[in-house]
Amino acid sequence: PPTLDLSNILSVYANESAIAWIHKDPPPGKNTIGAIGPAANGGVVPEDVQRSLLFDKPKAIYATAAAFTVLTEGGRVHSWGHATSGGLIPDATKIVLNQLNISSIVCSAGAFCAIGSERFGDPSIKTLCPWGGAASGGALNPGDLEKIMDQDGVKHVIANRDSFVVITKRRSQALSWGGAYG
């Protein structure tokens, strides 16, 4: 559309049917990110996400097949797009995410996994918090999270189409969760 501001773009991200971007140095009060494509798959950035970025600038955007998540400079995340692909963060998950200083995100086709340290804990110990479709790794068994933390947290997290694998910090043990592919 002619009203779409495609100037001053810092970086561009895509999922299967939508594109999102971060503006470079937008004027005060203007949107810091944008998107185009089907609204249900993240082609429209919700106003509440735009407002939250006015005082906490976007650092990077991550994509599943039908959703986006923006990571801010303050270590927060905001998602939009298809709910079962991670576009909706459940309230219980938001509580956990708000306790983390998120440093990175890893994505499967239908889930996001935030990695970071607890805001008031030891910054060298990383934990994780997934959300999205359970069959794509959006849910982690609490007992598995306890095993990860007993090994001094996360060293690496990788993903394939429908699952995640974490390598623990202390003993380099692998633990996986998600769907049948992986």
Side-chain angles (χ1 to χ4, degrees), residues 66-92:
F68 293 105
T69 288
V70 60
L71 174 61
T72 69
E73 290 178 354
R76 303 288 188 187
V77 293
H78 307 281
S79 297
W80 72 98
H82 200 277
T84 59
S85 288
L88 175 67
I89 302 174
D91 289 339

Side-chain angles (χ1 to χ4, degrees), residues 39-64:
N41 292 347
V44 176
V45 182
E47 284 302 315
D48 62 327
V49 172
Q50 293 286 16
R51 280 191 303 276
S52 66
L53 297 174
L54 290 175
F55 300 104
D56 189 6
K57 293 183 178 186
K59 183 177 174 182
I61 296 175
Y62 300 87
T64 61

Side-chain angles (χ1 to χ4, degrees), residues 55-147:
F55 300 104
D56 189 6
K57 293 183 178 186
K59 183 177 174 182
I61 296 175
Y62 300 87
T64 61
F68 293 105
T69 288
V70 60
L71 174 61
T72 69
E73 290 178 354
R76 303 288 188 187
V77 293
H78 307 281
S79 297
W80 72 98
H82 200 277
T84 59
S85 288
L88 175 67
I89 302 174
D91 289 339
T93 303
K94 284 181 186 178
I95 292 169
V96 174
L97 291 170
N98 285 335
Q99 296 173 10
L100 300 179
N101 185 21
I102 300 163
S103 55
S104 62
I105 305 282
V106 178
C107 313
S108 69
F112 295 101
C113 183
I115 298 108
S117 58
E118 292 181 355
R119 287 197 179 271
F120 302 106
D122 183 342
S124 70
I125 297 176
K126 305 273 190 217
T127 187
L128 51 83
C129 181
W131 71 95
S136 291
L140 178 65
N141 179 324
D144 288 342
L145 181 57
E146 186 176 332
K147 288 177 189 176

